[in-house]
Amino acid sequence: MRLLKQYIFLILIIFSSVLTAQKTINCDYIIEVDDVSITNHTANPGDTMCLMAGVRPQLYMKNIEGTADEPIVIINYGGVVNIETELSYGLKFAFCRYIKLTGTGDSNEEYGIQIDTVALGNGIDIGFQSSDFEVENVEVQKTKYVGIMAKTDPDCTFSAVRDSFTMYNVNIHDNYLHHIGTEGMYIGNSFFLGHSLSACDTVVLPHIIEGVKVYNNIVHNTGWDGIQVGCALYNCDIYNNDVYLDSQEEQTYQMSGIIVNTGSSCDVHDNIIIDGKGTGIFNQGTGGQYFFNNLIVNAGRDYFPEDQILKQQFGIFSKYQYILPPDSNFYFFNNTIINPKSDGIRFYNANSDHNVFSNNIILNPGAFDYYTENGSVNNTGADSYIHNYLDCTIIDTSNNIFERSSKDQYFVDTTEYNYRLTNNSPAVNIGDDVASYDVFWDLDGNVRPYNNAADIGAYEYQSSSTSALNEESHLLFNIIPNPSDHFIQIEIPIGFSSECHIEILNIKGERMYLDSMVSDDKRIIDIDISKLSEDMYFIRLIDGKKVVVEKFIKN
């Protein structure tokens, strides 16, 4: 697992050592192992509903609602909850809001809620106008259809169409989904431009989602797409996910590691996508999106390998469907794409004016020989690296590495899928600095550029085995405690003047905090982080051209 996850895990281990082995849980309501339906329950905001450990059938929950500040927590209690059912769902939620479903009830188990078998349907189904959901530390396997579903499909009551319902704040993280019949995750509707209802002979617009975060999940061996998000029009982020062996059923139009469907504006970054039969990342989003720090290996390589005409698959495929606004651009930075079946990146869009492709490593695209032999836009196999399919769209390509083979000096160990750079890699220190786009870290969470020069590809080369965020050790600063849930304290390094300021950025590069009132007699700073959501953040100290960065975890 990537170093960033190991880093977070080690920090959590250190801080949890002072705690007892068993988590203390105060249960406001007990859900027994033979309960199959909890409806219209008079839970109060902030209550904890405890799922008793053991093997249990499916569970249906309806009309349970917390608040934004005090969600209802549903947690495993007394050990692991195992759900096995012959029905069409493992856990189903209807008309529920402000819910946190968590499998963290047993500190000895990473996934305290385990949905082991759903013979006829989905593992977790968040529907019927449910909203504001967090799902964490849940394992789902052996479902006939979707691992985690979050959407309400419109029907002839028109209660869940675009002008009558909006879904908010879908937060799915740190889950393990494997051996799933269709999609690992299916979030939002796929038909932003119109959904046909034959029962009432009309076409309606499905609801949108405002606020989607999908991160730190492992998705392994899915029949169809690994992660699918649609109609996520505002504030969507898909990052730090590991997706392996997607699209094993070879279902046409359902083949990708991660798909951003129509009506979505999702940034996709820091993901690892390996050995899927489909395209690594398939984008049909609205524009203005960023795709960076993704490692994509062998995308579609085993899918009809001899057919480069009808059976194409790509490292990244970005295709026009519906652009908002009409001139929205797309940005592709620091992706490492190895052995894609067809093109490394195929760009198919005549509705955006200026698109940027920088610092990408693309090696051994399968369509190279096909284009060379059969002709292409430029009559050369070079089109297989970044293929501007319409050739009329303005694209800016700079500092990319295109090669036919993976030379030994590029990466640490390709046999182990370790695509970190070696010290003599030609990708080191020749990249564009993309910090102006608020991309200032790599796939391992190391700050880029390192040593004043940016690298090409998903990983920034580090001069030692230890993650080094800043070149000069005397400029490092401590964050205490780390992780923290309320306050952190930092000491301004010696050498920083009273003109420096502090900012906190989230994983998307958005500024969450700014303090420019640092003074010579105020070298220790207390910062209230209680209102930040649980995630990883960066603190930057800026003093003219001098910048140092550290990471911390809000828990």
Side-chain angles (χ1 to χ4, degrees), residues 273-284:
I273 305 170
I274 292 178
D275 287 341
K277 290 190 175 184
T279 288
I281 298 172
F282 183 17
N283 173 55
Q284 301 183 98

Side-chain angles (χ1 to χ4, degrees), residues 110-111 113-115 136-141 148 173-180 185 216-221 242 244:
E110 185 170 4
Y111 308 106
I113 299 174
Q114 299 178 7
I115 300 176
E136 67 173 12
N137 295 90
V138 175
E139 179 178 352
V140 182
Q141 65 171 316
I148 299 177
H173 63 94
D174 295 284
N175 302 289
Y176 179 30
L177 313 178
H178 59 102
H179 298 91
I180 304 297
M185 298 183 197
N216 292 355
N217 301 284
I218 300 172
V219 182
H220 177 229
N221 202 315
D242 294 342
Y244 306 96

Side-chain angles (χ1 to χ4, degrees), residues 282-336:
F282 183 17
N283 173 55
Q284 301 183 98
T286 62
Q289 299 162 249
Y290 288 76
F291 302 83
F292 63 93
N293 291 350
N294 297 291
L295 171 64
I296 303 170
V297 182
N298 299 332
R301 203 72 181 186
D302 293 333
Y303 177 63
F304 293 90
E306 303 304 320
D307 188 343
Q308 276 293 347
I309 301 176
L310 299 177
K311 303 290 185 180
Q312 297 174 326
Q313 299 293 340
F314 313 97
I316 299 175
F317 183 19
S318 187
K319 178 183 179 183
Y320 166 75
Q321 286 290 351
Y322 183 78
I323 301 298
L324 261 179
D327 60 348
S328 286
N329 305 325
F330 297 85
Y331 306 89
F332 302 85
F333 300 135
N334 288 98
N335 299 288
T336 297

Side-chain angles (χ1 to χ4, degrees), residues 231-358:
C231 289
L233 193 54
Y234 305 107
N235 301 319
C236 175
D237 210 8
I238 304 171
Y239 63 98
N240 284 6
N241 301 286
D242 294 342
V243 181
Y244 306 96
L245 297 172
D246 65 79
S247 313
Q248 296 302 294
E249 294 296 319
E250 300 184 356
Q251 180 70 35
T252 304
Y253 307 121
Q254 303 285 352
M255 298 185 65
S256 59
I258 296 174
I259 177 170
V260 179
N261 236 321
T262 52
S264 296
S265 183
C266 303
D267 292 337
V268 183
H269 57 94
D270 299 282
N271 301 284
I272 294 176
I273 305 170
I274 292 178
D275 287 341
K277 290 190 175 184
T279 288
I281 298 172
F282 183 17
N283 173 55
Q284 301 183 98
T286 62
Q289 299 162 249
Y290 288 76
F291 302 83
F292 63 93
N293 291 350
N294 297 291
L295 171 64
I296 303 170
V297 182
N298 299 332
R301 203 72 181 186
D302 293 333
Y303 177 63
F304 293 90
E306 303 304 320
D307 188 343
Q308 276 293 347
I309 301 176
L310 299 177
K311 303 290 185 180
Q312 297 174 326
Q313 299 293 340
F314 313 97
I316 299 175
F317 183 19
S318 187
K319 178 183 179 183
Y320 166 75
Q321 286 290 351
Y322 183 78
I323 301 298
L324 261 179
D327 60 348
S328 286
N329 305 325
F330 297 85
Y331 306 89
F332 302 85
F333 300 135
N334 288 98
N335 299 288
T336 297
I337 301 173
I338 310 296
N339 299 330
K341 181 192 175 183
S342 303
D343 305 332
I345 300 176
R346 174 169 288 196
F347 192 71
Y348 189 119
N349 198 317
N351 295 79
S352 56
D353 289 338
H354 188 75
N355 307 279
V356 184
F357 299 75
S358 182

Side-chain angles (χ1 to χ4, degrees), residues 102-177:
T102 176
T104 59
D106 185 338
S107 57
N108 296 313
E109 296 287 343
E110 185 170 4
Y111 308 106
I113 299 174
Q114 299 178 7
I115 300 176
D116 292 330
T117 303
V118 182
L120 298 177
N122 305 326
I124 298 174
D125 197 335
I126 303 167
F128 293 94
Q129 298 173 60
S130 293
S131 181
D132 299 275
F133 256 77
E134 180 177 3
V135 179
E136 67 173 12
N137 295 90
V138 175
E139 179 178 352
V140 182
Q141 65 171 316
K142 292 186 287 188
T143 62
K144 182 174 183 179
Y145 298 124
V146 180
I148 299 177
M149 174 93 78
K151 65 188 179 86
T152 300
D153 286 330
D155 59 25
C156 294
T157 67
F158 308 116
S159 58
V161 296
R162 195 161 302 164
D163 59 356
S164 64
F165 173 68
T166 299
M167 192 177 202
Y168 296 95
N169 302 323
V170 177
N171 187 345
I172 300 177
H173 63 94
D174 295 284
N175 302 289
Y176 179 30
L177 313 178

